[in-house]
């Protein structure tokens, strides 16, 4: 039994920042790879970033490196996504996830999911 609660979304202007949080209950988060995905209406769920169990390694697509940073605090059972220089095209529901395979972009490889938090970036 793993429960994930993601939070921190909101409405921001282009160029602004948000920090998303993903808190776990049940297993300690250090037992899992942490991941973030996003999904806009009518689009496929898109991989954002992943972080290893210890936090010593991260994995993300090149287009999001530099603006988005994933990090974790295992003492707090929390994984974060820091989003800077937000753009309107970043608007989506963002989901945190937990799994066992670090180097994957596939949503189907993550068995545990948060409920999603809405991020809206206005022009």
């Amino acid at each position: 039994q793993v429960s994930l609660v993601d939070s921190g979304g909101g409405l921001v202007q282009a160029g602004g920042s948000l920090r998303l949080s993903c808190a776990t209950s049940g297993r300690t988060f250090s037992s899992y790879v942490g991941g973030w995905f996003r999904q806009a209406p009518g689009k496929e769920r898109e991989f954002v970033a992943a972080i290893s169990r210890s936090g010593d390694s991260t994995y993300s697509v090149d287009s999001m490196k530099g603006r988005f940073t994933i990090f974790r605090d295992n003492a707090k059972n929390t994984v974060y996504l820091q989003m800077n220089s937000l753009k309107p095209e970043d608007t989506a529901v963002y989901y945190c996830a937990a799994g066992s395979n670090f180097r994957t972009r596939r949503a189907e490889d993550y068995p545990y999911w948060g409920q999603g938090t809405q991020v809206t970036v206005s022009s």
Side-chain angles (χ1 to χ4, degrees), residues 94-118:
Y94 284 70
Y95 298 89
C96 68
S100 58
N101 295 325
F102 169 64
R103 206 162 187 88
T104 179
R105 297 173 57 181
R106 302 194 307 170
E108 54 264 39
D109 290 335
Y110 284 83
Y112 306 111
W113 293 86
Q115 81 285 352
T117 183
Q118 177 71 49

Side-chain angles (χ1 to χ4, degrees), residues 79-96:
V79 171
Y80 303 90
L81 183 69
Q82 178 67 45
M83 304 185 295
N84 298 324
S85 301
L86 284 163
K87 305 174 182 179
E89 52 262 44
D90 294 319
T91 295
V93 177
Y94 284 70
Y95 298 89
C96 68

Side-chain angles (χ1 to χ4, degrees), residues 4 22 24 29-37 47-55 57-59 70-72 74 78-80 95-102 104 110 112:
L4 305 178
C22 178
T24 68
F29 217 147
S30 62
S31 297
Y32 296 96
V33 170
W36 286 97
F37 292 76
F47 174 79
V48 174
I51 189 165
S52 64
R53 293 169 176 83
S54 66
S57 298
T58 60
Y59 176 46
I70 187 170
F71 62 102
R72 68 193 303 163
N74 285 336
T78 303
V79 171
Y80 303 90
Y95 298 89
C96 68
S100 58
N101 295 325
F102 169 64
T104 179
Y110 284 83
Y112 306 111

